[in-house]
Amino acid sequence: ASHCQASGAMAGMTGMTLMLRFLLLSLFQNASAVGGPGEIKAATQETQKLLAPLRTKVWHQAQEAGYTSEFTKFAAISERLQVVAGRNHFVKVQVAPESYIHVRIFESLPHMKKDPELVAIELDHTYDSAIDIFPAAKEL
């Protein structure tokens, strides 16, 4: 009977190990290595959902940085992920017909139960400009 109990415990551990591997792979799927930037990919509906609640904060930060126009659009075009203790989303956002900015959003790990936060923005980008990793703003 103890052999069966040990086998059951091992099966449970194997299942738990597989679950942990799956969760880690799904977390890291868009990044080349922890801390390193992932590939630039087309934005998804999830990217837009992450971005949308931050529109007012992004606009105020853009104004403080010298942006003088209105945001006639606010559409995520592409993004690059960086896995840290959570995820940094570097998102190219179209804010007017020919105007693009890059927005850095930090998404904490799910167990932290925190809303995504605006970390920094970069103005004066184009549709073709690459999304590079950029530092956090001093204060937002």
Side-chain angles (χ1 to χ4, degrees), residues 38-95:
E39 296 177 24
I40 298 171
K41 297 188 177 195
T44 63
Q45 287 181 340
E46 291 303 313
T47 310
Q48 188 63 42
K49 285 180 188 176
L50 186 73
L51 178 68
L54 300 172
R55 180 180 179 138
T56 301
K57 287 183 180 179
V58 172
W59 186 73
H60 285 296
Q61 185 62 31
Q63 282 190 313
E64 289 175 17
Y67 189 83
T68 57
S69 301
E70 294 293 322
F71 285 179
T72 57
K73 297 184 90 171
F74 198 67
I77 303 299
S78 54
E79 79 170 317
R80 182 176 220 171
L81 293 177
Q82 178 186 35
V83 176
V84 290
R87 297 191 294 183
N88 283 318
H89 295 257
F90 296 87
V91 185
K92 180 185 300 287
V93 181
Q94 185 175 16
V95 294

Side-chain angles (χ1 to χ4, degrees), residues 3-67:
H3 176 66
C4 290
Q5 288 174 340
S7 295
M10 290 297 282
M13 291 291 283
T14 302
M16 189 63 96
T17 301
L18 290 174
M19 177 71 81
L20 183 58
R21 284 183 182 172
F22 171 77
L23 289 172
L24 289 172
L25 285 174
S26 66
L27 179 64
F28 300 138
Q29 70 184 351
N30 291 319
S32 57
V34 176
E39 296 177 24
I40 298 171
K41 297 188 177 195
T44 63
Q45 287 181 340
E46 291 303 313
T47 310
Q48 188 63 42
K49 285 180 188 176
L50 186 73
L51 178 68
L54 300 172
R55 180 180 179 138
T56 301
K57 287 183 180 179
V58 172
W59 186 73
H60 285 296
Q61 185 62 31
Q63 282 190 313
E64 289 175 17
Y67 189 83

